[in-house]
């Protein structure tokens, strides 16, 4: 290196501002992110500039220029760092209650209730009449009893927790016969045999995968049997040569030998869905009516509420479950409870429910309405995307999801984006660009085409928001094209 180059480098190094000087120039950033965090970022940024000078990547710069560049870098780094990773997305996957996308969307009244209790002390476990300690379950218990016919109810974090708590309370160190046809896995992480093991009870498999008879249960019952359990095989169906024991028969058998009969219902269906032209699904009230002593179900599947697990049934059993020390670890927080109460309240008026409850509104959305949105959006997409992409709409089906209703049943319309020259790679890139939008769009790739299912995209605000983002999408596609 020539001596003049070395002295140039030394001159440049002398231009490097001090950390304090940059801090002084960046007072606004310090006010927003704090002295400690900003100082550290400035130091790192200055080190990086020094390194670039030494390697010859920076050949000239003034102190002012370095200061403003460093502050700009620090600001964008801090902004990125403080951006929330949990953000709203468009669920255009064709799976309505998508577990990975947070399942049910809350109705407005529930959202308001969450906001109300979130920032304030509330009478969560405080009896305002008596002026003393109360019980958090009371806020939602009467509603659940009214809607299901149960005597009592208690609430936990999700239905998996509900099953765990019920088994641990009523069957620890004892045997629970379950039909081989019901040893299901739900959503990949909840397997009945594994939950039973963790709850401390012993699973006794009865019957065969396709056929289980009452005599199979009878044979399995002994003095160490704790309960009879029926599990709804929510997300699959056994067809052909099949037999299962009805709930009424199981309840009778259990009661003959003075054991409780428990049903894990999975989805919390509170009203007759056939009234809405949806497939028949057993309601919680029917399960209680059939003789179940305890039922458990999810709050965020068909019920359309917040993530929680509802346990309802006979008072003395619910009382025992509530007194289990594990309940303390699984209990609901005030925000979930507030949301649940509002959702349950909506069920008292079934006529208004379809409009008020997003899940039911989406399940019952007329195809005509879905088609109108699909047509408008495909028009907007034709404008936003280059001729490289072919855009059509296609009638197909979408699924309830989360094991809420067993089979594909709902017809739907998808906007289909294909590559004009059958280039799978360009569809994959497009799908990625959709996912990187400010409100990410999640669709699905099928046979080299990107499908955006429109059942969950409602006309109005959502449609506008989707269309407004298309300019961003077009710009990012144009950037990608010039980079190539
Ligand atoms: C979904 C489901 C569960 C688990 O419920 P989460 O609320 O997801 O914890 C348990 N049992 C059955 C039958 C289910 O369908």
């Amino acid at each position: 290196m020539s001596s003049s180059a070395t002295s140039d480098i030394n001159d440049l190094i002398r231009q490097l501002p001090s950390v304090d000087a940059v801090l002084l120039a960046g007072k606004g950033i310090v006010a927003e992110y704090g002295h400690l965090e900003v100082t550290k970022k400035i130091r790192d940024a200055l080190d990086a500039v020094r390194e670039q000078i030494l390697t010859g990547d920076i050949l000239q710069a003034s102190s002012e220029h370095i200061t403003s560049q460093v502050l700009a870098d620090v600001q964008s780094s801090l902004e990125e760092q403080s951006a929330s990773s949990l953000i709203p997305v468009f669920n255009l996957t064709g799976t309505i209650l998508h577990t990975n996308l947070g399942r049910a969307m809350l109705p407005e009244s529930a959202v308001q209730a969450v906001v109300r209790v979130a920032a304030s002390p509330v009478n969560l476990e405080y009896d305002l009449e008596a002026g003393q300690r109360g019980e958090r379950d009371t806020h939602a218990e009467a509603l659940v009893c009214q809607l299901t016919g149960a005597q009592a109810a208690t609430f936990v974090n999700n239905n998996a927790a509900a099953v765990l708590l019920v088994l641990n309370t009523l069957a620890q160190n004892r045997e629970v016969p379950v039909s081989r046809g019901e040893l299901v896995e739900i959503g990949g992480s909840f397997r009945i045999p594994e939950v039973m093991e963790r709850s401390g009870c012993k699973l006794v498999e009865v019957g065969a995968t396709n056929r289980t008879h009452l005599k199979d249960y009878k044979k399995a019952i002994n003095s160490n049997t704790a309960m009879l359990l029926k599990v709804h095989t929510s997300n699959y169906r056994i067809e052909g040569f099949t037999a299962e024991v009805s709930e009424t028969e199981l309840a009778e058998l259990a009661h003959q030998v003075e054991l409780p009969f428990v049903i894990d219902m999975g989805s919390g269906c509170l009203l007759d869905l056939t009234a809405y032209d949806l497939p028949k699904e057993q309601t919680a009230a029917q399960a209680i009516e059939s003789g179940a002593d305890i039922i458990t179900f999810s709050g965020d599947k068909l019920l359309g509420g917040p993530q929680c697990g509802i346990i309802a049934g006979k008072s003395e059993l619910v009382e025992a479950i509530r007194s289990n020390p594990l309940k303390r670890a699984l209990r609901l927080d005030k925000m979930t409870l507030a949301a649940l109460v509002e959702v349950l309240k909506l069920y008292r008026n079934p006529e208004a429910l379809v409009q008020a409850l997003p899940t039911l509104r989406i399940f019952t959305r007329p195809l005509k309405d879905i088609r109108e949105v699909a047509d408008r959006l495909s028009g907007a997409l034709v404008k936003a995307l280059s001729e490289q992409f072919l855009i059509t709409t296609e009638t197909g089906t979408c699924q309830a999801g989360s094991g809420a209703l067993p089979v594909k049943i709902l017809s739907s319309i998808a906007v289909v984006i294909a590559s004009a020259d059958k280039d799978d790679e360009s569809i994959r890139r497009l799908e990625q660009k959709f996912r990187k939008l400010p409100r990410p769009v999640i669709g699905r790739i099928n046979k080299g085409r990107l499908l955006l299912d429109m059942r969950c995209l409602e006309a109005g605000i959502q449609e506008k928001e989707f269309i407004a983002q298309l300019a961003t999408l077009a710009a990012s596609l144009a950037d990608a094209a010039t980079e190539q």
Side-chain angles (χ1 to χ4, degrees), residues 163-178 192-204 224-227 229:
V163 174
L164 179 82
L165 187 64
V166 168
L167 290 170
N168 181 264
T169 310
L170 305 178
Q172 197 178 20
N173 300 323
R174 295 174 67 196
E175 295 178 2
V176 179
V178 182
I192 285 292
E194 290 171 9
V195 173
M196 294 184 75
E197 190 185 329
R198 283 298 164 128
S199 74
C201 71
K202 183 161 178 289
L203 163 66
V204 178
N224 200 29
T225 306
M227 62 159 75
L229 173 65

Side-chain angles (χ1 to χ4, degrees), residues 177-184 203-212 216-217 233 236 238:
V178 182
S179 163
R180 288 201 166 86
E182 296 170 9
L183 298 176
V184 292
L203 163 66
V204 178
E205 298 184 21
V206 301
T209 305
N210 58 333
R211 290 172 72 86
T212 302
D216 297 320
Y217 285 97
T233 55
Y236 88 123
I238 302 176

Side-chain angles (χ1 to χ4, degrees), residues 99 103 157-161 163 184 186 190 192 231-235 264-267 296-301 307-309 402-404:
T99 299
R103 292 193 186 162
N157 196 33
N158 51 32
N159 188 35
V163 174
V184 292
I186 289 135
F190 178 90
I192 285 292
V231 181
H232 269 244
T233 55
S234 326
N235 53 359
D264 169 13
M265 303 192 60
S267 225
T296 75
F297 51 96
S298 295
D300 57 350
K301 292 185 181 173
Q307 183 195 301
C308 63
S402 299

